[in-house]
């Protein structure tokens, strides 16, 4: 037996089979002698082991040594067949089928033999007819020494069960491995570790390659089209999307002639959202065949296209419509759509929509492009949506709305040119207001064929000349083309538009002289031609326009003097601007004294002479009819009263 201070390699492998060993009536001196003989003779080791086994059996059972001999030599050589043979012999010897041998001892010896064959598979519990099944071999065995162990009340003749402190062979003798065997075992372990490491690295590399190829090499997949839970009408005109309702599908089919099929394949499109709302969420729940259902659908499309949930007033997020008792929010109740904010309808039971107007000076935060479903409302005659973020080009489908008389989109974000299709189709247009957008191109001559009353294209990026065809619009009262890049002279045909009340052409690149034909515009009140390249003089006919209130010709190349006829405008003129020109002469102070309604007189940056009288200075003040602004060049004497004039070079 091995000393307790020594730790063999075998003991590390089979540490789970540790216990104290018990014997009866066998002296420790005999055991030591047997162990000494085995340890000092490698050639007689198997014989010594066999002798020790046989002695123990003979002493405790009085049986013939030749009975059931075990082939230890064959087992030592690693022969599995011999091991099985010896194992069967020992089982016969140790009581299986023999009443004289205690079966518990036999199972103990079997465990020892199995531990020698494969110590990692040896059982840790055995069956005993008295103790029971599954009791641990070492349960309750004392820790001190190799003392006899028994259990009260149990008849245990023969060899008691034991588990050695060290790895043991079939006889309970410790197995000692040679250094060469230990080195081979260690090399085997290292090889296994290297193999396991290489295989793990290879698997990890394959996983990484597959993941990278999947993430970066996969082509984008189209949105899956999920079929509906019910069959479509054959042939299906538009794919359905789950989950949808039968009612929604019927509405989609009804709206396809107006909206097309493609828009309904996008569940976030204004058309799909509108169809979904009217089919499943509209409290009115109109049948698909109802004319109002189509009208409510068209308005709902407009709402979603203009991002209605983000409106300043009267969107679904504002159910009280800003607290205004006279207004109603969109898409929220069963009430008629004609009472929604900005919607106006014809009289009668049907109440067809005839105008959509959002005229708030600061806009209502409408954002998006105009949807073609507006054409479904055939009675529409006005679209007014100033100061909103409506963008894109002016849609050509507006030409299909043949009842349109007004397009008012001041301060939006339209781009591109004015399409001819709109002017040709909507032939009743009387108001075209696309001021303060981002339009380009020239003024279409087709405008001359319309019954225009207002043409407002100011503050864009348009160019070209003013078409003479505009003179055909004899009913036109407002023409505003300022802040563009128009060039050339004012066409004489324009003076045929005798109904003009406001003519604003400033901040362009216009040239030529100021025509005396302006006098033909007898209804003209507002004439602004400043910041161009006009030359010549101010014709006296200008002062003959009976209702002229505002005359502005500053920042040009005008020469000459101010005519004393300016006094003829004493009943009307409020603002007179001729600064930053090349004008000369003495100011007609007597005529100026007659201008009792004068509010602003801007004369600086010229070569005028003369003196401002006290009478003029007495008109200075802050009230509406007071002279609030008076600027003169330093060549004019204005010392009669302090703070009367602003001297500007």
């Amino acid at each position: 037996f091995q000393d307790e201070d020594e730790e063999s390699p075998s003991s590390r492998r089979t540490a789970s089979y540790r216990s104290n060993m018990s014997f009866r009536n066998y002296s420790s001196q005999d055991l030591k002698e047997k162990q000494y003989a085995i340890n000092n003779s490698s050639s007689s080791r198997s014989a010594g082991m066999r002798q020790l086994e046989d002695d123990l059996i003979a002493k405790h059972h009085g049986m013939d040594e030749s009975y059931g001999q075990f082939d230890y030599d064959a087992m030592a050589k690693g022969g599995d067949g011999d091991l099985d043979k010896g194992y069967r012999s020992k089982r016969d010897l140790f009581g299986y089928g023999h009443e004289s041998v205690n079966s518990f001892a036999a199972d103990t010896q079997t465990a020892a033999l199995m531990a020698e064959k494969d110590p990692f598979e040896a059982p840790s519990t055995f069956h005993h007819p008295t103790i029971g099944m599954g009791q641990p071999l070492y349960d309750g065995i004392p820790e001190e020494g190799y003392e006899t162990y028994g259990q009260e009340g149990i008849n245990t003749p023969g060899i008691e069960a034991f588990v050695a402190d060290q790895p043991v062979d079939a006889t309970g003798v410790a197995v000692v491995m040679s250094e060469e065997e230990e080195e081979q075992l260690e090399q085997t372990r290292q090889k296994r570790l290297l193999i396991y490491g290489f295989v793990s690295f290879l698997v990890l590399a394959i996983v990484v390659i597959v993941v990278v190829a999947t993430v970066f090499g996969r082509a984008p997949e189209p949105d899956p089209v999920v079929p509906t839970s019910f069959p479509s009408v054959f042939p299906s005109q538009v794919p359905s999307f789950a989950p949808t309702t039968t009612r929604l599908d019927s509405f989609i089919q009804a709206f396809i002639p107006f909206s097309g099929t493609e828009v309904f394949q996008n569940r976030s499109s204004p058309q799909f959202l509108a169809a979904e709302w009217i089919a499943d969420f509209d409290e009115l729940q109109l049948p698909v065949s109802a004319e109002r259902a189509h009208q409510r659908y068209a308005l709902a499309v407009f709402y979603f296209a203009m991002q209605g949930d983000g409106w300043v007033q009267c969107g679904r997020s504002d159910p009280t419509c800003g607290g205004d008792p006279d207004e109603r929010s969109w898409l929220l109740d069963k009430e008629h759509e004609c009472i929604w904010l900005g919607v106006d309808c014809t009289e009668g039971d049907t109440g067809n929509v005839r105008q959509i107007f959002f005229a708030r000076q600061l806009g209502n935060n409408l954002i998006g492009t105009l949807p073609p479903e507006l054409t479904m409302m055939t009675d529409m005659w006005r679209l007014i949506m100033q100061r909103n973020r409506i963008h894109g080009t002016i849609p050509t489908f507006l030409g299909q709305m043949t009842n349109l008389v007004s397009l008012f989109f001041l301060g939006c974000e339209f781009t591109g040119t004015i399409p001819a299709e709109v002017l040709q189709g909507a032939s009743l247009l009387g108001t075209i207001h696309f001021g303060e957008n981002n339009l380009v191109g020239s003024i279409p001559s087709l405008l001359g064929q319309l019954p225009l009353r207002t043409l407002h294209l100011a503050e864009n990026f348009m160019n070209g000349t003013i078409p003479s065809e505009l003179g055909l619009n004899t009913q036109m009262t407002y023409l505003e083309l300022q802040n563009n890049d128009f060039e050339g002279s004012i066409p004489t045909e324009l003076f045929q538009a005798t109904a003009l009340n406001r003519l604003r052409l400033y901040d362009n690149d216009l040239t030529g002289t100021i025509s005396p034909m302006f006098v033909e515009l007898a209804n003209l009140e507002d004439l602004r031609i400043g910041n161009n390249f006009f030359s010549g003089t101010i014709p006296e006919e200008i002062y003959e326009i009976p209702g002229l209130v505002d005359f502005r010709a500053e920042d040009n190349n005008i020469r000459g003097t101010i005519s004393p006829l300016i006094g003829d405008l004493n009943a009307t003129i409020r603002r007179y601007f001729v600064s930053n020109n090349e004008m000369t002469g003495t100011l007609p102070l007597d005529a100026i004294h007659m201008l009792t309604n004068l509010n602003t007189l801007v004369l600086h940056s010229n070569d005028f002479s003369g003196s401002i009288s006290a009478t003029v200075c007495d008109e200075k003040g802050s009230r509406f009819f007071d002279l609030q602004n008076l600027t003169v060049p330093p060549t004019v004497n204005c010392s009669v009263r302090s703070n009367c004039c602003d001297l500007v070079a």
Side-chain angles (χ1 to χ4, degrees):
F1 292 87
Q2 207 165 358
D3 294 338
E4 293 181 358
D5 293 336
E6 296 180 3
E7 182 179 6
S8 69
S10 300
S11 67
R12 289 192 299 271
R13 290 183 299 153
T14 59
S16 61
Y17 299 98
R18 291 179 178 271
S19 180
N20 292 316
M21 189 172 185
S22 300
F23 293 95
R24 285 186 178 178
N25 303 319
Y26 200 89
S27 67
S28 61
Q29 183 63 33
D30 291 339
L31 293 174
K32 289 180 179 180
E33 290 176 0
K34 290 286 186 181
Q35 176 64 29
Y36 177 81
I38 292 170
N39 291 341
N40 286 275
S41 177
S42 59
S43 62
S44 62
R45 181 178 180 184
S46 297
M49 292 166 60
R50 181 168 59 252
Q51 184 63 44
L52 177 59
E53 177 75 16
D54 294 339
D55 288 347
L56 291 172
I57 294 170
K59 184 169 184 178
H60 289 282
H61 299 285
M63 303 184 67
D64 185 31
E65 293 180 2
S66 64
Y67 182 81
Q69 292 296 316
F70 191 81
D71 193 352
Y72 285 97
D73 293 332
M75 182 186 72
K77 295 177 181 179
D80 291 341
D82 294 337
L83 178 61
D84 293 338
K85 177 181 177 182
Y87 179 55
R88 285 194 301 270
S89 300
K90 282 295 182 179
R91 289 173 62 88
D92 292 340
L93 174 63
F94 290 149
Y96 286 84
H98 299 275
E99 297 179 357
S100 61
V101 181
N102 182 270
S103 63
F104 181 78
D107 282 342
T108 305
Q109 285 295 89
T110 302
L113 290 172
M114 292 174 66
E116 177 66 12
K117 180 179 180 182
D118 189 353
F120 292 97
E121 296 181 0
S124 60
T125 60
F126 289 89
H127 171 74
H128 187 278
T130 304
I131 297 176
M133 177 67 75
Q135 295 296 328
L137 290 175
Y138 49 85
D139 187 13
I141 298 176
E143 295 288 340
E144 55 276 349
Y146 302 102
E147 298 180 359
T148 301
Y149 171 70
Q151 184 170 344
E152 185 176 357
I154 299 175
N155 182 20
T156 57
I159 301 175
E160 290 285 351
F162 70 89
V163 177
D165 280 340
Q166 305 293 336
V168 296
D169 61 13
T171 63
V173 178
V175 177
V176 180
M177 297 179 63
S178 66
E179 292 182 358
E180 182 179 353
E181 290 175 328
E182 291 181 2
E183 183 177 354
Q184 291 178 351
L185 179 61
E186 185 64 25
Q187 291 177 353
T188 301
R189 289 176 177 172
Q190 291 179 358
K191 289 180 180 180
R192 288 178 180 175
L193 289 176
L194 288 175
I195 293 173
Y196 293 157
F198 176 76
V199 172
S200 300
F201 174 78
L202 184 60
V203 171
L204 180 60
I206 293 174
V207 170
V208 171
I209 292 173
V210 170
V211 170
V212 171
T214 302
V215 172
F216 295 99
R218 181 172 52 194
E221 298 180 358
D223 294 336
V225 177
V226 184
T228 57
S229 58
F230 58 92
S232 301
V233 178
F234 184 81
S236 177
Q237 298 182 23
V238 61
S240 300
F241 298 87
T244 60
T245 63
T246 303
R247 179 174 165 84
L248 173 56
D249 280 350
S250 64
F251 271 97
I252 289 176
Q253 296 296 330
F255 298 146
I256 284 175
F258 305 99
S259 303
T261 59
E262 184 177 353
V263 292
F264 292 110
Q265 298 175 21
N266 180 2
R267 296 180 66 92
S268 61
S269 70
Q271 290 78 8
F272 185 91
L273 294 174
E276 184 180 45
W277 171 78
I278 196 170
D280 298 338
F281 301 105
D282 184 6
E283 295 183 14
L284 201 57
Q285 289 295 287
L286 293 169
V288 69
S289 59
E291 183 178 349
R292 282 187 59 198
H294 288 229
Q295 179 168 274
R296 286 171 80 85
Y297 166 73
L299 289 172
V301 171
F302 174 80
Y303 177 87
F304 289 112
M306 295 291 106
Q307 301 186 29
D309 289 344
W311 288 355
V312 175
Q313 267 188 312
C314 303
R316 290 189 299 182
S317 58
D318 179 25
T320 63
C321 211
D324 190 339
D326 297 327
E327 303 291 355
R328 294 291 184 274
S329 297
W330 286 53
L331 312 186
L332 285 184
D333 51 43
K334 295 182 180 180
E335 296 186 73
H336 205 290
E337 59 274 11
C338 290
I339 66 172
W340 294 346
L341 173 70
V343 178
D344 180 56
C345 297
T346 59
E347 301 294 335
D349 295 335
T350 57
N352 296 331
V353 176
R354 63 179 182 178
Q355 63 178 333
I356 298 176
F357 60 97
F358 289 87
R360 294 179 75 249
Q361 288 296 321
L362 299 178
N364 201 44
N365 200 36
L366 277 65
I367 303 174
T369 59
L370 295 176
E373 285 71 17
L374 289 173
T375 61
M376 296 174 64
M377 295 175 280
T378 56
D379 288 337
M380 184 75 70
W381 64 298
R382 282 184 180 172
L383 292 174
I384 302 173
M385 304 172 198
Q386 68 175 8
R387 307 291 180 191
N388 287 287
R389 296 174 58 189
I390 303 173
H391 51 81
T393 59
I394 299 174
T396 58
F397 64 72
L398 293 177
Q400 302 174 28
M401 305 175 74
T402 56
N403 289 317
L404 273 178
V405 299
S406 180
L407 291 175
F408 198 100
F409 292 94
L410 170 66
C412 292
E413 299 176 0
F414 284 107
T415 58
T417 61
I418 300 174
E421 294 87 341
V422 174
L423 306 180
Q424 292 170 340
S427 59
L428 300 180
L429 278 172
T431 297
I432 297 178
H433 201 320
F434 284 95
E436 299 179 34
N437 280 268
N438 300 307
L439 298 180
V440 296
S442 60
I443 300 174
S445 60
L446 287 172
L447 290 171
Q449 302 177 13
L450 300 178
L452 282 178
R453 292 182 177 272
T454 298
L455 179 60
H456 195 311
L457 300 175
E459 297 188 41
N460 282 283
F461 300 94
M462 301 183 71
N463 53 27
T465 60
I466 299 174
S468 60
E469 288 81 0
L470 291 183
L472 300 175
N473 301 112
T474 58
Q475 301 300 315
M476 185 165 57
T477 56
Y478 298 103
L479 177 59
E480 299 194 30
L481 305 177
Q482 68 270 19
N483 289 100
N484 279 285
D485 296 316
F486 297 122
E487 58 188 9
S489 61
I490 299 174
T492 58
E493 291 83 359
L494 186 61
F495 299 116
Q496 299 174 16
T498 55
L500 276 174
N501 178 269
R502 180 185 299 169
L503 179 58
R504 295 180 178 179
L505 305 176
Y506 62 89
D507 289 335
N508 279 287
D509 297 324
L510 298 175
T511 58
T513 60
I514 301 175
S515 174
M517 295 185 66
F518 274 107
V519 72
E520 302 293 332
L521 305 178
N523 295 299
L524 194 60
E525 294 182 1
D526 189 341
L527 176 57
R528 305 187 189 188
I529 56 175
N531 198 21
N532 280 286
F533 296 96
F534 289 113
S535 58
T537 62
I538 299 175
E540 292 185 347
E541 288 79 2
I542 292 292
Y543 304 116
E544 296 178 9
I545 301 174
L548 190 60
V549 175
D550 199 330
F551 177 75
R552 305 190 187 191
E554 73 280 10
D555 296 295
N556 278 283
N557 300 316
I558 300 172
R559 301 184 303 274
T561 63
I562 298 176
S563 172
L565 293 177
I566 191 175
D568 293 343
L569 298 175
N570 66 316
T572 60
I573 194 71
R574 292 277 298 163
R575 289 166 289 274
Y576 187 87
F577 289 74
V578 291
S579 59
N580 289 298
N581 278 287
E582 302 172 7
M583 300 182 71
T584 58
T586 302
L587 293 177
L589 295 179
D590 292 339
I592 293 174
H593 293 164
M594 299 171 60
L595 304 178
T596 56
N597 292 320
L598 194 61
N599 174 268
T600 301
L601 182 61
V602 179
L603 308 175
H604 66 270
S605 299
N606 281 287
D607 255 347
F608 294 123
S609 59
S611 298
I612 300 297
S613 65
T615 304
V616 174
C617 291
D618 289 341
E619 299 295 328
K620 288 290 297 291
S622 58
R623 295 174 298 178
F624 179 78
F625 292 105
D626 290 342
L627 180 59
Q628 297 179 7
N629 302 291
L630 174 60
T631 66
V632 297
T635 54
V636 174
N637 183 5
C638 195
S639 60
V640 65
R641 183 177 298 174
S642 61
N643 300 324
C644 177
C645 304
D646 293 324
L647 299 178
V648 180

